[in-house]
Amino acid sequence: MISIASPLIGDEEKQAVLEVLDSGMLAQGPRVKAFEDAFAQMCGVQHAIATSSGTTALHVALLARGIGPGDEVITTPFTFIASANSILFTGAKPVFVDIDPVTFNLDPAQVADAITEKTKAIMPVHLFGLLCDMDALLDSAARHDLAMIEDACQAHGAEYQGQRAGAFGTGTFSLYPTKNITSAEGGMITTDDDAIAASCRVIRQHGMRRRYYHDELGFNFRMTDVHAAIGLAQLGKLERFNAARNANAAYFNAHLRGVTVPTVPEGYQHVFHQYTVRVPEGRRDALMAQLQEHGIGFGVYYPVPIHQQTYYVNELGYDQQLPEAERAAEEVLSLPIHPALTEADREKIVATINAFMEAV
Ligand SMILES: *Cc1c(COP(=O)(O)O)cnc(C)c1O
């Protein structure tokens, strides 16, 4: 079986975890600090704040940017549910606009059109490891004095014009096992702003600036040193992992027939968290059955855009059409792209898909 995702855990990670267990310092401690410093450096920012997950990173980042009840945050419906749910957690309202059909990312023109007097932030999601059109989005944000909160949970090390994901505003990352690097569970917030960084640290830990004095509402969203030890070892391998993902993507782009392969616009460095193709209308189910039969893993990210999720429709009353997101949900198929793929795996994936697509 060729799996859709495969975390690569080596001796470095195992050794690092054993050292933490032997140290007697298990909760947030020196490894978390070291991981934060190295992560900030990887992104090219001043501060990184580790959290318990990507979802809690998003939640804290929104709160630290002052998002709350009555506010609107513009984001994409074509993403993992946590992007939008984190907005709901603050009491604010996710406002969904449609995507660009080529990149699957937020369409900046539609973002500009959706801005109202209630809009407080834009949350671009750098889906599948490709940055959004940040020039256009930053322009809208600057014009209306909006916070920029990047959901970079799939974009560790991705670049636009030489600048890394997480360096365009307040960045948020996930370290879940399927992501480009993992800490088992974990998240990271990135920022150049001293005050926002300080606020994130307070919200992460019970709203506490001074031990057992609580001036605001906070949470326990800390990362443990055990998880940070894994993450730090993984971070050292990120560039190699991303290069392997890019090499696999180049191979697929050169050899796959009959499906629409991803394109990387000029000026962007993709990190291929997912390698996502479009399958011509009506053929996706049959292709998935074929892959299944040949022991090839795959994923549909995502089968239901968030504005059509049951909770959003039934409980929150969302009722809108976003045709590109809806069409993407019908057509996308993600193939194994992770660094553990072998040459034989790649050949088998290509041969299986091409044989199916060419047999009409
Ligand atoms: C993974 C992911 C998240 C949530 O991260 P967790 O670590 O699973 O909480 C949020 N947004 C996107 C786009 C993701 O891919």
Side-chain angles (χ1 to χ4, degrees):
M1 178 76 193
I2 305 173
S3 60
I4 180 73
S6 176
L8 277 171
I9 299 295
D11 288 339
E12 299 82 357
E13 288 82 356
K14 293 174 190 167
Q15 198 53 46
V17 167
L18 290 177
E19 279 169 25
V20 173
L21 295 178
D22 285 339
S23 78
M25 294 274 296
L26 304 184
Q28 183 180 296
R31 302 300 159 115
V32 168
K33 175 76 169 76
F35 186 27
E36 288 176 338
D37 290 348
F39 202 95
Q41 190 172 14
M42 182 277 287
C43 293
V45 299
Q46 289 299 313
H47 308 282
I49 302 92
T51 67
S52 53
S53 71
T55 305
T56 55
L58 281 160
H59 188 177
V60 171
L62 287 157
L63 291 173
R65 297 300 302 259
I67 309 301
D71 298 337
E72 293 180 356
V73 178
I74 300 173
T75 193
T76 171
F78 196 56
T79 177
F80 182 56
I81 194 75
S83 311
N85 279 356
S86 65
I87 298 167
L88 295 179
F89 298 158
T90 70
K93 180 185 175 195
V95 172
F96 300 112
V97 306
D98 213 352
I99 57 169
D100 176 309
V102 174
T103 63
F104 301 112
N105 278 334
L106 270 181
D107 177 347
Q110 297 192 50
V111 170
D113 288 345
I115 293 170
T116 71
E117 66 283 354
K118 289 184 177 170
T119 309
K120 272 285 197 60
I122 303 173
M123 182 194 288
V125 180
H126 309 314
L127 201 70
F128 305 141
L130 179 68
L131 273 143
C132 294
D133 180 350
M134 292 311 295
D135 276 348
L137 294 175
L138 285 168
D139 188 58
S140 284
R143 219 161 331 151
H144 300 272
D145 197 22
L146 308 177
M148 179 63 70
I149 296 158
E150 302 173 67
D151 180 340
C153 286
Q154 303 187 359
H156 317 65
E159 291 180 10
Y160 172 60
Q161 314 280 20
Q163 192 169 329
R164 287 211 155 174
F168 293 89
T170 307
T172 58
F173 294 83
S174 167
L175 297 155
Y176 187 74
T178 58
K179 306 297 160 110
N180 290 33
I181 54 169
T182 184
S183 62
E185 291 269 13
M188 200 67 85
I189 304 165
T190 53
T191 179
D192 272 327
D193 187 303
D194 297 351
I196 291 166
S199 175
C200 287
R201 293 182 195 286
V202 170
I203 296 165
R204 172 179 66 177
Q205 172 136 289
H206 305 292
M208 185 164 79
R209 267 168 229 279
R210 187 151 62 101
R211 208 162 176 77
Y212 304 126
Y213 290 79
H214 307 275
D215 305 335
E216 59 186 279
L217 186 63
F219 302 86
N220 175 357
F221 287 161
R222 293 182 304 254
M223 179 183 283
T224 73
D225 260 24
V226 180
H227 294 91
I230 302 170
L232 193 53
Q234 288 268 297
L235 188 59
K237 305 174 181 180
L238 176 63
E239 310 301 327
R240 182 156 60 77
F241 286 171
N242 284 348
R245 286 174 180 274
N246 267 278
N248 290 337
Y251 179 88
F252 288 145
N253 272 10
H255 294 93
L256 283 175
R257 304 281 171 259
V259 295
T260 308
V261 299
T263 52
V264 184
E266 187 75 29
Y268 290 77
Q269 185 66 48
H270 204 314
V271 293
F272 287 102
H273 168 62
Q274 297 295 348
Y275 181 87
T276 304
V277 301
R278 278 184 196 264
V279 183
E281 214 190 320
R283 301 202 68 197
R284 189 174 67 180
D285 283 353
L287 176 55
M288 292 194 295
Q290 195 75 8
L291 292 170
Q292 181 109 44
E293 198 170 303
H294 285 80
I296 298 169
F298 55 85
V300 172
Y301 310 115
Y302 294 92
V304 182
I306 298 180
H307 68 286
Q308 296 184 322
Q309 292 285 356
T310 301
Y311 178 73
Y312 281 73
V313 173
N314 289 358
E315 301 298 324
L316 305 176
Y318 279 82
D319 176 20
Q320 62 181 138
Q321 264 99 53
L322 297 166
E324 290 300 346
E326 290 161 28
R327 189 165 68 89
E330 299 282 323
E331 295 181 356
V332 290
L333 183 65
S334 299
L335 304 173
I337 191 72
H338 56 78
L341 279 193
T342 66
E343 190 70 40
D345 293 337
R346 302 197 313 197
E347 285 168 10
K348 181 175 171 179
I349 292 165
V350 165
T352 305
I353 293 172
N354 288 359
F356 175 83
M357 293 312 299
E358 279 157 13
V360 181

